[in-house]
Amino acid sequence: MTTRRDFLRTAGTLTLGGAVLPGFASVRDVLDNAPAYPIGIQLFTLFGPMNEDPKGTLAKVATAGYKEIESAFNLRGGYYGYSARDFRALVSDLGMTWRAHHAGGAPFRPRPQQAPPAGAPAGTTQRPAMDFSKMPPMLNLRDNYQQLIDEAGEGGLAYLVCSSTPVGTVDEINKSIEVFQKTGEAAKKAGIGFAYHNHATEFDPVDGGKTPYELILSQTDKDLVKMELDLAWATKAGKDPVALFSEQPGRFPLWHIKDIKSDLKTITEVGNGVVDFKKAFTAARKAGLKYIFVEQDMAPGGIDSITTSYTNLKKIL
């Protein structure tokens, strides 16, 4: 983790006489914006290994240096075959903290050899086809929000996150907004945050010219519905994360640290693509950032890929 001393040592333009970095108002601003976030991982990155051997895979994640966990859809049911309480204990015993969980906004109806469900947008070229026809039932926010919140409480989570939801039409967006408001209210009562995770499609205009992103953020309570900004999908959509943070300050407590190659199609290891992470982190305080999670959808290199991402992210920070 980059310390404040490391940040100041490399800041260049900061002096003991009180000069400040361009764009910062004071030395205190410099200190407060210094990246000091434990590096977490979204476990969809290791979809195959987590379904095959969750305990062994988590041990390797810990060895790679990761400190925080965000769980996701899996083929074992529950939380990789564990109850929320038992998965929390497993993660804790390995020296990590379970911070967040992804759940779909609506029911997922798989077909044999279909690409992965909500949370894994179409267009990621390295994702292998998989048979989801025999997977266990998946809870979703529309039908199971209270159960998901209760389990998030048992797991000691800080956030429950909607991984994806139908946003192809205004009607679908309005229904999703209703689910988000309801979930946000219940989560707040339980002392848990709620956030929505974007893909590139949220920035595509729908009927009437507005985008799902604009409609969701303008028609939900900013204190109940936060955002988990995926930096790669925002970049693919041609959006500047820093500008998004300025439009909705404090509304982005979680980030997906995902990278994408110059073709804007291929997800890759952090630092091996075109996402400007350094620029994004200059606006971390404005964004309201609390947790970061490396994600590379079904990383083809498995542990090697996440090790590369961790090493590169440490250099970026």
Side-chain angles (χ1 to χ4, degrees):
M1 183 192 313
T2 298
T3 65
R4 292 186 175 187
R5 176 175 295 178
D6 292 332
F7 182 85
L8 294 176
R9 184 187 302 120
T10 59
T13 57
L14 184 66
T15 71
L16 293 177
V20 297
L21 289 169
F24 291 98
S26 67
V27 172
R28 174 54 56 189
D29 283 342
V30 175
L31 295 175
D32 287 346
N33 278 275
Y37 305 97
I39 298 177
I41 187 169
Q42 161 53 248
L43 292 177
F44 187 69
T45 302
L46 298 170
F47 183 82
M50 281 300 299
N51 284 298
E52 294 164 6
D53 179 14
K55 184 176 182 179
T57 300
L58 285 172
K60 293 177 182 178
V61 168
T63 299
Y66 289 89
K67 297 299 182 184
E68 300 189 324
I69 296 295
E70 182 178 55
S71 52
F73 152 80
N74 66 92
L75 298 180
R76 284 177 167 256
Y79 303 93
Y80 306 96
Y82 295 85
S83 68
R85 196 178 305 276
D86 288 344
F87 188 71
R88 176 186 185 180
L90 172 61
V91 171
S92 179
D93 287 347
L94 291 168
M96 300 182 292
T97 304
W98 187 20
R99 293 294 188 188
H101 176 68
H102 270 202
F108 169 69
R109 296 179 176 83
R111 295 175 295 175
Q113 298 303 314
Q114 184 176 342
T124 303
T125 58
Q126 75 262 30
R127 186 185 309 112
M130 300 187 73
D131 186 352
F132 290 89
S133 62
K134 298 180 180 180
M135 71 180 189
M138 291 173 58
L139 300 181
N140 68 86
L141 297 173
R142 191 195 74 181
D143 301 332
N144 315 109
Y145 74 95
Q146 190 59 59
Q147 181 179 345
L148 284 163
I149 290 169
D150 291 344
E151 292 179 359
E154 292 174 5
L157 302 187
Y159 282 90
L160 177 63
V161 182
C162 178
S163 59
S164 184
T165 196
V167 292
T169 66
V170 171
D171 182 58
E172 287 180 338
I173 295 168
N174 287 337
K175 289 179 180 178
S176 295
I177 287 172
E178 291 179 9
V179 171
F180 292 171
Q181 277 291 120
K182 178 174 61 178
T183 303
E185 291 171 0
K188 183 178 181 179
K189 291 179 181 177
I192 298 167
F194 172 69
Y196 177 59
H197 168 269
N198 69 281
H199 298 97
T201 189
E202 277 82 359
F203 298 101
D204 294 334
V206 292
D207 305 338
K210 292 283 189 178
T211 68
Y213 176 89
E214 292 172 316
L215 293 171
I216 290 170
L217 268 68
S218 66
Q219 296 183 27
T220 55
D221 188 321
K222 65 180 181 180
D223 295 322
L224 298 178
V225 181
K226 302 293 186 179
M227 285 293 298
E228 178 175 61
L229 192 73
D230 188 301
L231 300 182
W233 296 130
T235 299
K236 175 181 173 65
K239 298 298 179 180
D240 178 2
V242 173
L244 298 178
F245 302 151
S246 295
E247 293 167 2
Q248 294 277 344
R251 205 164 181 180
F252 303 85
L254 309 109
W255 295 0
H256 267 189
I257 307 298
K258 180 186 292 178
D259 215 341
I260 190 168
K261 293 186 178 180
S262 57
D263 62 5
L264 297 183
K265 294 180 181 179
T266 307
I267 301 303
T268 188
E269 290 81 8
V270 172
N272 291 348
V274 298
V275 175
D276 193 342
F277 296 106
K278 285 188 177 181
K279 181 180 178 182
F281 274 104
T282 65
R285 188 175 63 160
K286 177 169 286 187
L289 180 61
K290 295 181 180 178
Y291 305 109
I292 60 174
F293 302 104
V294 167
E295 183 183 40
Q296 183 183 356
D297 300 358
M298 290 186 174
I303 297 300
D304 287 342
S305 287
I306 72 164
T307 300
T308 296
S309 288
Y310 182 88
T311 300
N312 289 344
L313 182 54
K314 289 281 284 187
K315 294 177 181 176
I316 291 169
L317 292 178

